[in-house]
Amino acid sequence: MKRFGFVALVGRPNVGKSTLLNHLLGRKLSITSRKPQTTRHALLGLMTEGDVQIAYVDTPGLHVPRERAINRFMVSQATSTLRDVDLVVLLIDARGLKSADEFALRAVERANRPTICVINKVDLLGDKTRLLPLIAELDQVGSFEAIIPISALRNEALDTLAREIAERIPEGEHLYLEDQVTDRPAEFVISEMIREKLMRRLGDELPHRTTVVVDRLDQTRAVADVDAVIYVERKSQKSIAIGRGGAMLKSIGEDARRDIEELLGQKAMVRLWVKVDAGWTNSARALARLGYES
Ligand SMILES: Nc1nc2c(ncn2[C@@H]2O[C@H](COP(=O)(O)OP(=O)(O)OP(=O)(O)O)[C@@H](O)[C@H]2O)c(=O)[nH]1
Ligand SMILES: [Mg+2]
């Protein structure tokens, strides 16, 4: 009997959704950083084990969207995912519920799907008995099939979580090939890997004003060729992204190249350009042009 299901990973920004996806899959697919609002698109991560195929959906952090169009796009990616899945995994930070979790809790309640609540980052709790009041509080505020404390980063209790998820996957034909990892083309994953380095290196605000488009990927020769454009909103941001004598751009390219080579399984040559696309974060047309399609 084959089983297949979509499982959404949702929660407020920075709670560890993408880290959990990568650790459940046992490979790096989704980008992560210590800054909130790293993930912008719903991203499928596929896992097939025998008769069971699970399509995990990593989602952007649920937050009250600010005025910018990019934020509205991100939140709608997460909320529309909630409508289409067989199971929801809601992540909460072990250090306690914050007002930011409210929005996620409400969105999950509206979706009205079977939901497992995961308490992530338990490694940050010195005193594990602090989990007990949190579990009691979660029991009050939501209606969960199970509440499971884990550490995604340290792979703690991920086997328990994987078992609880697998038990709830309905009967059904597999929608994807057995060895398929995601439904996105390599160009998308590469653009995200480059964006991750921007998230990690470019201060706190600037990364949120950047996006990456891969213009060309040529894998026909021994060394793959990657041409990508980093878009920023203003000229001053362009100078920061390039850095003195091109130093910033060079180190971003170097960092990204390592991930890209692992993804493609071959050496790669990565060429980066920085262009200004004024106000792209708040223009529906610019967003569509830059790959943010709902
Ligand atoms: N200590 C600890 N840190 C974690 C754990 N899981 C994730 N993190 C860290 O938390 C930060 C955010 O992780 P992400 O996986 O990017 O979080 P996210 O929920 O996908 O964030 P958005 O995409 O911005 O919504 C990163 O610095 C991770 O290394 C964990 O179990 N323990
Ligand atoms: Mg993420």
Side-chain angles (χ1 to χ4, degrees), residues 13-19 32-39 61 120-121 123-124 151-153:
N14 203 241
V15 71
K17 301 174 293 295
S18 303
T19 304
T32 66
S33 87
R34 60 173 184 79
K35 291 165 200 160
Q37 303 187 11
T38 296
T39 303
N120 189 33
K121 309 196 187 185
D123 57 288
L124 296 178
S151 167
L153 196 62

Side-chain angles (χ1 to χ4, degrees), residues 7-190:
V7 177
L9 305 177
V10 300
R12 71 169 165 78
N14 203 241
V15 71
K17 301 174 293 295
S18 303
T19 304
L20 177 59
L21 176 74
N22 292 341
H23 286 243
L24 283 168
L25 296 179
R27 67 186 295 156
K28 181 172 169 141
L29 175 66
S30 197
I31 67 170
T32 66
S33 87
R34 60 173 184 79
K35 291 165 200 160
Q37 303 187 11
T38 296
T39 303
R40 290 180 183 160
H41 303 262
L43 174 66
L44 226 60
L46 302 163
M47 215 182 65
T48 310
E49 272 176 355
D51 289 339
V52 184
Q53 182 170 72
I54 303 177
Y56 289 105
V57 196
D58 185 19
T59 62
L62 283 160
H63 61 285
V64 180
R66 288 172 298 177
E67 72 285 3
R68 251 189 287 274
I70 181 76
N71 294 90
R72 290 195 293 274
F73 171 86
M74 287 160 66
V75 170
S76 81
Q77 286 277 295
T79 50
S80 62
T81 298
L82 278 170
R83 285 199 290 271
D84 295 333
V85 295
D86 301 287
L87 180 68
V88 174
V89 174
L90 169 67
L91 281 81
I92 301 289
D93 190 303
R95 289 165 294 181
L97 281 170
K98 286 194 191 169
S99 58
D101 293 302
E102 272 294 306
F103 190 78
L105 278 161
R106 278 205 308 276
V108 166
E109 192 178 288
R110 269 199 307 277
N112 198 23
R113 306 270 143 171
T115 302
I116 292 176
C117 182
V118 156
I119 302 177
N120 189 33
K121 309 196 187 185
V122 293
D123 57 288
L124 296 178
L125 288 188
D127 176 8
K128 297 280 193 293
T129 59
R130 277 173 55 195
L131 281 172
L132 297 174
L134 178 58
I135 290 171
E137 192 181 357
L138 286 166
D139 224 10
Q140 291 286 311
V141 296
S143 155
F144 303 117
E145 302 249 320
I147 300 176
I148 306 174
I150 67 162
S151 167
L153 196 62
R154 304 248 175 111
N155 282 322
E156 281 175 37
L158 292 199
D159 45 351
T160 310
L161 174 61
R163 226 178 11 252
E164 293 278 348
I165 292 170
E167 271 174 19
R168 292 172 172 83
I169 301 299
E171 275 174 30
E173 286 302 313
H174 296 183
L175 284 193
Y176 300 94
L177 300 172
E178 192 167 334
D179 57 357
Q180 206 176 334
V181 178
T182 184
D183 62 335
R184 299 272 189 169
E187 283 87 343
F188 174 83
V189 181
I190 291 172

Side-chain angles (χ1 to χ4, degrees), residues 259-272:
D259 284 2
I260 292 165
E261 289 181 342
E262 199 174 318
L263 174 81
L264 300 177
Q266 69 181 132
K267 293 260 176 237
M269 166 90 157
V270 179
R271 286 187 216 82
L272 299 177

